């Protein structure tokens, strides 16, 4: 399946730009980066992506914005900041052309019983191919054991996706890891969104996760895809839905603690929100979710709000 993912990815590319690769190679040397391999690929839509494998990178001294600026100048195209991963002691930098949209994100959490460890874990990052990836994983229960399961699922998914593994294949690897982690049952939900920053299309992939909310042109839309968590069965798969977003629209991912007291209030809050800062909305949703719960129970709560905005090309 890994080989099939690689084959599908290669089919998307039309040609290699060797002169651009040479220019990038010189930029890396000037920046003190030792490149092993540099690849500049142009797809059928004339969008270039740059993949760099390097022997060593001083991440503390590396300016990702500065590197993107120099590579953009060398290639004559506007690139986004690189996504950096590590595999077998080698660094992998991946960059794509600067997209039409950018993401403004905000995240807020509440820990059950104000404990030290949260059973929810989240990741939010660009994948280096013009998409913004958001992941929330909720480990079974609360406390330390749930925190391990949630962090393991979210962290592994993020690492595999950054390494170029497909979403479905990455989920199967995470599922296998949870199945063999211990003799005890280890369950975790995986809630993931991949937003194409060129088209605005958001693909939502769920494994046991609750519904999500989108606000399109001021109207709240519920997005649900019933499925099972990972760590239960030998075979697992995502349930998928998609939604088309435009500049100013919102996408909200959250763990099940948010809607334990109902979800009508969440729809009203999204439609009435007039603010501009997603972090403020995420914190407001968490506060309201706590106050809406009336059954005397508490739970971990995570809210991730993403707002689609037009890219300022002068930035």
């Amino acid at each position: 399946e890994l080989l099939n993912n690689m084959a599908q990815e290669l089919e998307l590319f039309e040609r290699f730009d060797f002169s651009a690769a040479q220019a990038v190679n010189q930029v890396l040397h000037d920046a003190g980066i030792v490149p092993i391999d540099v690849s500049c690929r142009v797809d059928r839509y004339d969008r270039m992506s740059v993949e760099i494998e390097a022997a060593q990178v001083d991440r503390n001294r590396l300016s990702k914005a500065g590197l993107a600026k120099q590579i953009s100048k060398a290639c004559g195209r506007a690139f986004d900041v690189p996504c950096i991963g590590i595999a077998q002691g080698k660094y992998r930098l991946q960059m794509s052309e600067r997209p039409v949209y950018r993401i403004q994100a905000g995240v807020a959490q509440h820990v059950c019983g104000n404990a030290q460890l949260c059973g929810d874990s989240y990741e939010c990052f660009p994948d280096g191919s013009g998409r913004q990836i958001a992941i929330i994983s909720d480990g079974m229960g609360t406390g330390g054991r749930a925190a391990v399961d949630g962090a393991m699922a979210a962290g592994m998914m993020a690492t595999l996706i950054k390494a170029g593994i497909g979403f479905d294949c990455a989920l199967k690897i995470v599922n296998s890891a949870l199945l063999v982690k211990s003799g005890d049952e280890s369950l975790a939900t995986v809630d993931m969104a991949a937003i194409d920053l060129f088209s605005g299309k958001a693909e939502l992939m769920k494994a046991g996760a609750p519904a999500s909310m989108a606000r399109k042109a001021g109207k709240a839309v519920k997005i649900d895809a019933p499925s099972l968590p990972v760590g239960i069965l030998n075979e697992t798969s995502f349930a998928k839905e998609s939604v088309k977003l435009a500049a100013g629209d919102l996408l909200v991912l959250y763990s099940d603690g948010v809607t334990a007291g109902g979800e009508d209030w969440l729809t009203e809050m999204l439609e009435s929100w007039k603010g501009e800062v997603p972090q403020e909305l995420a914190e407001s949703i968490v506060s309201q979710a706590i106050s809406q719960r009336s059954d005397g129970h508490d739970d971990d709560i995570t809210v991730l709000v993403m707002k689609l905005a037009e890219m300022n090309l002068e930035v």
Side-chain angles (χ1 to χ4, degrees):
E1 186 160 346
L2 288 169
L3 290 171
N4 186 52
N5 286 167
M6 293 170 63
Q8 289 177 347
E9 182 182 357
L10 289 171
E11 285 176 354
L12 295 175
F13 293 93
E14 292 292 304
R15 61 184 174 86
F16 289 85
D17 190 327
F18 297 104
S19 61
Q22 290 178 342
V24 172
N25 193 72
Q26 186 59 51
V27 170
L28 296 172
H29 279 291
D30 293 343
I33 299 172
V34 182
I36 298 173
D37 184 57
V38 177
S39 172
C40 296
R41 300 186 289 184
V42 182
D43 67 14
R44 66 191 67 179
Y45 308 110
D46 196 40
R47 299 201 300 236
M48 180 181 286
S49 66
V50 178
E51 292 186 0
I52 301 162
E53 186 177 313
Q56 67 179 72
V57 177
D58 188 346
R59 298 182 72 168
N60 294 324
R61 299 181 57 187
L62 175 66
S63 169
K64 292 199 283 187
L67 186 63
K69 183 177 180 180
Q70 292 301 317
I71 291 178
S72 298
K73 184 178 179 181
C75 296
R77 298 170 181 257
F79 285 97
D80 210 346
V81 295
C83 173
I84 302 178
I86 305 175
Q88 296 181 343
K90 298 177 183 177
Y91 287 82
R92 182 173 184 263
L93 290 77
Q94 188 171 8
M95 307 174 64
S96 60
E97 282 196 55
R98 182 173 294 156
V100 176
Y101 301 107
R102 61 189 175 92
I103 293 293
Q104 296 173 300
V107 64
Q109 282 189 312
H110 164 72
V111 183
C112 178
N114 294 316
Q116 289 186 331
L117 297 174
C118 182
D120 296 345
S121 187
Y122 66 89
E123 300 276 352
C124 190
F125 58 92
D127 71 346
S129 299
R131 293 178 298 189
Q132 182 78 14
I133 308 297
I135 303 169
I136 293 180
S137 181
D138 183 358
M140 181 180 65
T142 59
R145 181 173 165 180
V148 169
D149 291 344
M152 181 176 173
M156 285 187 68
M157 283 295 299
T159 300
L160 292 166
I161 291 167
K162 288 177 182 178
I165 306 302
F167 301 134
D168 295 313
C169 190
L171 184 72
K172 291 182 179 182
I173 295 172
V174 171
N175 184 62
S176 297
L178 286 172
L179 284 172
V180 302
K181 182 173 74 71
S182 68
D184 299 327
E185 192 175 52
S186 295
L187 308 180
T189 65
V190 177
D191 195 1
M192 187 163 70
I195 304 175
D196 188 319
L197 299 179
F198 287 91
S199 67
K201 181 181 178 181
E203 185 176 10
L204 286 93
M205 293 157 277
K206 297 181 179 294
S212 300
M213 286 281 190
R215 191 183 77 174
K216 292 169 50 66
K219 183 71 174 178
V221 179
K222 180 180 177 181
I223 307 167
D224 197 8
S227 53
L228 291 174
V230 289
I232 299 178
L233 303 175
N234 289 330
E235 293 293 326
T236 188
S237 61
F238 279 121
K240 300 178 181 180
E241 292 289 342
S242 62
V243 61
K244 186 73 163 58
L245 302 175
D249 290 346
L250 300 173
L251 181 62
V252 184
L253 305 185
Y254 48 83
S255 57
D256 57 4
V258 168
T259 52
E263 58 186 30
D264 291 342
W265 63 269
L266 180 57
T267 300
E268 295 174 5
M269 177 178 282
L270 287 179
E271 292 183 345
S272 62
W273 187 65
K274 304 298 182 184
E276 296 292 331
V277 182
Q279 181 64 36
E280 295 176 356
L281 177 57
E283 293 172 359
S284 297
I285 292 174
V286 169
S287 298
Q288 189 68 12
I290 295 171
S291 64
Q292 286 288 330
R293 190 152 189 166
S294 58
D295 58 4
H297 295 285
D298 195 7
D299 196 4
D300 296 318
I301 294 174
T302 299
V303 176
L304 180 56
V305 178
M306 291 173 288
K307 180 181 179 182
L308 204 64
E310 290 184 338
M311 179 67 75
N312 181 357
L313 295 180
E314 295 181 358
V315 173

